[in-house]
Amino acid sequence: MTISRRNRREWRIILWISLASAVISAYFGQAVAPADAPPWSGVVHGILTSLLITTPITFFEVRRARINSLGWMRRLPLLGYFLVKVAFYCVAIVAGLILSRLLMSIGTRQFVIFDSIFQNSVFFAIGMSVVANLIVETGRLLGFGTLKNLLLGRYARPRSEQRAFLLIDMKDSTGLAEKLGAIRFHELLNAFFRDIADAALECDAEIHKYVGDEAILTWPEGLPLSAGDCLDCPFLARQNIAGNAARYRDRFGAVPEFRAALHYGEIVAGEIGDVRREITYVGDTLNVAARLLDASKGLGRDVLASGELLARVRLPAGLQAEPLPTLTIRGRDAPLEIAALSMRGGQDQH
């Protein structure tokens, strides 16, 4: 697994959104083109306008979290954040429309005319941008995988699945909360979860939810799971935190550490709720993962994985698994085979 995987995914998102927008804009351009214009001009104008508007906006949305100079946006209140985005959208839309008209007028005597077509184009572009923005923000709130499944009705009826789960729990969160106070500890949690989210994106994980100081990540059956990305994930999260260690020390006087547990098994997934819907996972698998996380404290190991998971995935080349005595779990007939995961050479030991 390389760090470029997330880059490839982001560029694919930008490409597909740009292509979809170009198709829609080509249809709109043809629909509003003057009757005396060549039949192809409306299509070309629509595609050109879409590329000049959609591409920078999509790049901004997808890559914004990776641009350090835009980090201040995350600290804005919701209203300020929204107004900044609206201002950027308006500038990008108007500039794109004007530039597309200038380019289309090359070789002719026509100039940029702010006519009814231009006005309709502004309204159309803003409408598309608002819809896209709602989808992006809803996806960030619920998780894009969850949003897709809700829209497609995948879990309208409960269904049984095989999934892997990764539970990540911050060490000494109570002590840090007492030291920092509630507000600054919340800021620390936010930075901590952001580093975990970056690792989740690299490893094709779905972020199921945050519970207090704990993050729950999950993988369905498939290539990312069988390839061992789930085993890499906690170590990549640790690398992200280590890379931001200086920032953590400057802002909070400490660098957060965590314990993690991984397990695989059958769960029942389904939509729950009425006013606010979400997808929940019910079953013994999550309970066993939680018990495994609790056991990591007594065993003095930061990352534990169940034998049931290790039997189904490939151990990444940079990791090693040390078998430990089986773990007895209340309500479970057979003891659980477990192993401690670490980077080869002991680079992750504390």
Side-chain angles (χ1 to χ4, degrees):
M1 184 181 64
T2 64
I3 201 70
S4 63
R5 173 181 295 177
R6 183 179 178 185
N7 287 327
R8 292 197 299 270
R9 183 188 302 112
E10 289 176 347
W11 283 113
R12 283 199 303 270
I13 292 172
I14 293 172
L15 174 62
W16 283 112
I17 291 179
S18 296
L19 288 175
S21 176
V23 171
I24 297 172
S25 296
Y27 175 80
F28 177 81
Q30 179 65 21
V32 301
D36 58 345
W40 53 265
S41 64
V43 173
V44 173
H45 194 182
I47 293 174
L48 179 61
T49 302
S50 172
L51 294 177
L52 291 173
I53 295 175
T54 303
T55 301
I57 288 179
T58 305
F59 181 87
F60 171 80
E61 288 291 352
V62 174
R63 302 281 294 182
R64 172 166 45 84
R66 308 284 295 274
I67 303 175
N68 293 331
S69 59
L70 296 178
W72 57 272
M73 288 188 64
R74 290 192 292 262
R75 297 186 289 274
L76 289 175
L78 180 60
L79 179 59
Y81 173 78
F82 180 76
L83 291 176
V84 168
K85 290 184 69 174
V86 167
F88 171 75
Y89 280 20
C90 290
V91 170
I93 288 169
V94 174
L97 288 171
I98 293 175
L99 183 57
S100 68
R101 286 206 165 195
L102 283 172
L103 292 174
M104 290 296 294
S105 66
I106 292 177
T108 70
R109 295 184 178 181
Q110 295 179 346
F111 297 96
V112 176
I113 302 174
F114 298 94
D115 52 14
S116 60
I117 295 179
F118 182 87
Q119 182 180 1
N120 291 335
S121 298
V122 170
F123 290 148
F124 175 75
I126 291 176
M128 284 191 61
S129 299
V130 169
V131 172
N133 190 43
L134 286 174
I135 293 173
V136 168
E137 293 306 319
T138 304
R140 286 196 173 121
L141 179 64
L142 299 177
F144 287 100
T146 300
L147 176 61
K148 180 189 71 174
N149 289 328
L150 286 173
L151 292 175
L152 297 177
R154 177 179 173 84
Y155 298 113
R157 293 172 179 256
R159 55 188 294 168
S160 177
E161 291 185 347
Q162 298 288 331
R163 278 183 172 268
F165 288 91
L166 166 62
L167 277 56
I168 295 180
D169 182 52
M170 182 187 289
K171 290 184 180 180
D172 192 28
S173 58
T174 302
L176 287 171
E178 292 177 352
K179 174 184 175 182
L180 297 173
I183 293 177
R184 293 192 64 215
F185 179 68
H186 186 277
E187 294 174 351
L188 173 63
L189 270 181
N190 197 26
F192 175 69
F193 287 146
R194 190 178 301 126
D195 283 335
I196 292 174
D198 285 344
L201 289 173
E202 289 289 345
C203 299
D204 287 327
E206 300 173 15
I207 301 174
H208 176 44
K209 63 174 60 177
Y210 302 118
V211 183
D213 59 356
E214 180 180 307
I216 302 176
L217 280 56
T218 181
W219 289 260
E221 284 188 304
L223 180 59
L225 176 61
S226 60
D229 287 0
C230 58
L231 303 182
D232 262 328
C233 193
F235 299 96
L236 184 55
R238 181 174 290 170
Q239 290 175 18
N240 291 343
I241 293 170
N244 291 320
R247 189 177 304 171
Y248 279 111
R249 291 192 186 96
D250 290 343
R251 292 186 61 190
F252 310 110
V255 180
E257 299 179 358
F258 63 81
R259 298 180 182 88
L262 297 118
H263 184 48
Y264 173 90
E266 183 179 15
I267 54 90
V268 174
E271 292 183 22
I272 194 169
D274 185 10
V275 176
R276 182 187 184 277
R277 289 188 179 185
E278 64 178 43
I279 294 173
T280 61
Y281 299 119
V282 179
D284 188 56
T285 300
L286 268 172
N287 296 330
V288 172
R291 301 291 80 79
L292 190 57
L293 185 62
D294 290 338
S296 65
K297 298 179 183 179
L299 294 172
R301 302 303 181 99
D302 284 348
V303 183
L304 295 183
S306 69
E308 295 175 12
L309 174 63
L310 292 175
R312 289 168 170 81
V313 303
R314 177 181 60 82
L315 185 68
L319 300 183
Q320 58 188 7
E322 177 189 349
L324 298 176
T326 57
L327 184 66
T328 301
I329 297 178
R330 183 187 305 174
R332 183 183 172 97
D333 294 335
L336 181 69
E337 294 184 3
I338 62 175
L341 298 180
S342 61
M343 296 180 67
R344 295 190 182 277
Q347 300 175 38
D348 67 310
Q349 301 298 316
H350 295 278

